[in-house]
């Protein structure tokens, strides 16, 4: 297992790339990132910190078990969330707070093969997610490289209040996705909110994010020209299981 400092360095570099203003994925304090350290703890971006110029001090190391316990409570108050997050920190003397979205990071990092997470708010993606036809618009696949980098489909999460309600809804939606597809999603789309990319490495997270942003731009253009022409389910399955595409996944670092 990589050393803790190496994991933090990878997370730091990934976070800054995702927060680069030229990418238009996140501005100001938008978005958050995380990385699993071991079976018990993970790093997550502190609340209010900007991804573009984040420092090591902008991440909080958190114990997973108490966060997951907080997620499973039938109901919690805002004060419960605040106190629970502070108590879950490995360094309880630190003044910084974990992001309120630490709850869904804790769950997603428990999934097989997920070690890094990047949550962003790319403008073209949110142009779709904030539209009246969002769920329909993202219901089909448009081109082969979308499937190669982002998987056979994203997981869809309707708008829910950030914090525990969102994390609980996301857990239910992702578990349903796993039941249907026999694997975790690479992309999660949150209505009126943003994008989450999951991967075993920063490269997987960044590649999936970049390709889905391109997908969003193509989708917006397709709607401008009369509407998207989605690929058939048979063609999607064929692309996702082709041996040459699996080989190419490895070459471009998304498998």
């Amino acid at each position: 297992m990589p050393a803790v400092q190496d994991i933090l360095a990878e997370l730091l570099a990934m976070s800054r790339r995702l927060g680069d203003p030229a990418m238009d994925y996140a501005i100001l304090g938008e978005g958050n990132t995380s990385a699993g350290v071991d079976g018990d703890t993970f790093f997550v971006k502190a609340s209010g910190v900007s991804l573009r110029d984040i420092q090591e001090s902008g991440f909080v190391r958190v114990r997973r078990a108490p966060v997951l316990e907080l997620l499973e409570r039938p109901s919690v108050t805002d004060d419960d969330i605040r106190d629970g997050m502070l108590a879950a920190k490995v360094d309880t003397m630190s003044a910084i707070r974990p992001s309120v979205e630490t709850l869904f990071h804790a769950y997603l990092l428990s999934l097989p093969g997920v070690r890094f997470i990047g949550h962003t708010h790319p403008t073209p993606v949110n142009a779709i997610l904030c539209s009246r036809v969002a769920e329909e618009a993202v219901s089909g696949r448009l081109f082969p490289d979308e499937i190669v980098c982002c998987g056979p489909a994203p997981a869809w999460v309707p708008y829910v209040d950030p914090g525990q309600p969102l994390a609980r809804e996301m857990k239910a939606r992702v578990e349903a996705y796993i039941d249907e597809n026999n694997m975790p999603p690479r992309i999660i789309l949150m209505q009126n909110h943003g994008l989450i990319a999951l991967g075993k490495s920063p490269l997987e997270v960044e590649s999936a994010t970049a390709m889905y942003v391109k997908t969003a731009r193509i989708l917006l253009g397709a709607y401008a020209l009369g509407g998207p022409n989605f690929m058939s389910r048979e063609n999607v399955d064929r692309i996702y299981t082709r041996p040459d595409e699996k080989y190419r996944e490895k070459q471009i670092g998304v498998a």
Side-chain angles (χ1 to χ4, degrees):
M1 180 175 290
V4 172
Q5 198 60 34
D6 292 339
I7 294 170
L8 182 55
E10 285 189 278
L11 177 61
L12 175 65
M14 180 188 81
S15 301
R16 287 180 175 174
R17 288 191 292 265
L18 291 175
D20 182 347
M23 305 303 292
D24 192 28
Y25 294 167
I27 65 170
L28 304 176
E30 284 186 337
N32 40 70
T33 54
S34 65
V37 176
D38 49 41
D40 300 318
T41 65
F42 61 97
F43 285 114
V44 67
K45 194 199 84 164
S47 181
V49 176
S50 172
L51 288 174
R52 66 178 293 180
D53 53 7
I54 193 167
Q55 306 293 321
E56 289 187 359
S57 59
F59 296 101
V60 189
R61 190 172 179 182
V62 178
R63 291 178 292 117
R64 181 177 291 135
V67 179
L68 291 177
E69 187 276 328
L70 196 62
L71 170 62
E72 295 300 332
R73 291 188 197 178
S75 64
V76 293
T77 65
D78 290 340
D79 288 344
D80 291 335
I81 293 290
R82 180 198 63 210
D83 296 343
M85 290 295 186
L86 293 175
K89 295 193 303 181
V90 171
D91 180 4
T92 56
M93 301 304 292
S94 170
I96 60 175
R97 296 184 182 182
S99 165
V100 69
E101 291 171 341
T102 296
L103 287 157
F104 72 61
H105 284 272
Y107 165 66
L108 295 174
L109 286 168
S110 72
L111 298 175
V114 178
R115 290 189 55 241
F116 289 86
I117 295 172
H119 165 44
T120 55
H121 302 170
T123 299
V125 175
N126 274 16
I128 296 165
L129 298 181
C130 296
S131 75
R132 295 178 181 179
V133 297
E135 187 172 8
E136 174 190 338
V138 302
S139 64
R141 311 284 68 76
L142 294 169
F143 57 99
D145 278 348
E146 175 194 357
I147 301 162
V148 171
C149 292
C150 302
W156 170 259
V157 180
Y159 183 82
V160 183
D161 189 42
Q164 197 222 34
L166 172 59
R168 288 173 67 90
E169 181 67 19
M170 186 178 300
K171 182 173 184 287
R173 295 282 176 150
V174 169
E175 288 179 351
Y177 182 100
I178 292 171
D179 287 343
E180 181 178 350
N181 296 279
N182 297 312
M183 60 182 169
R186 293 185 185 177
I187 292 289
I188 300 171
L189 300 174
M190 298 180 288
Q191 186 179 34
N192 289 92
H193 188 156
L195 162 78
I196 300 172
L198 315 178
K200 66 176 181 291
S201 68
L203 180 58
E204 284 192 5
V205 169
E206 293 176 60
S207 296
T209 301
M211 190 58 74
Y212 203 83
V213 171
K214 177 178 180 178
T215 298
R217 292 194 184 103
I218 291 173
L219 187 57
L220 291 169
Y223 270 106
L225 293 172
N229 179 38
F230 291 135
M231 298 172 65
S232 69
R233 182 67 197 205
E234 291 75 17
N235 284 336
V236 171
D237 290 343
R238 171 62 174 152
I239 289 293
Y240 193 69
T241 57
R242 282 176 62 122
D244 57 334
E245 293 292 3
K246 291 299 178 185
Y247 173 80
R248 197 160 67 90
E249 284 183 24
K250 295 178 181 178
Q251 302 310 304
I252 61 179
V254 295

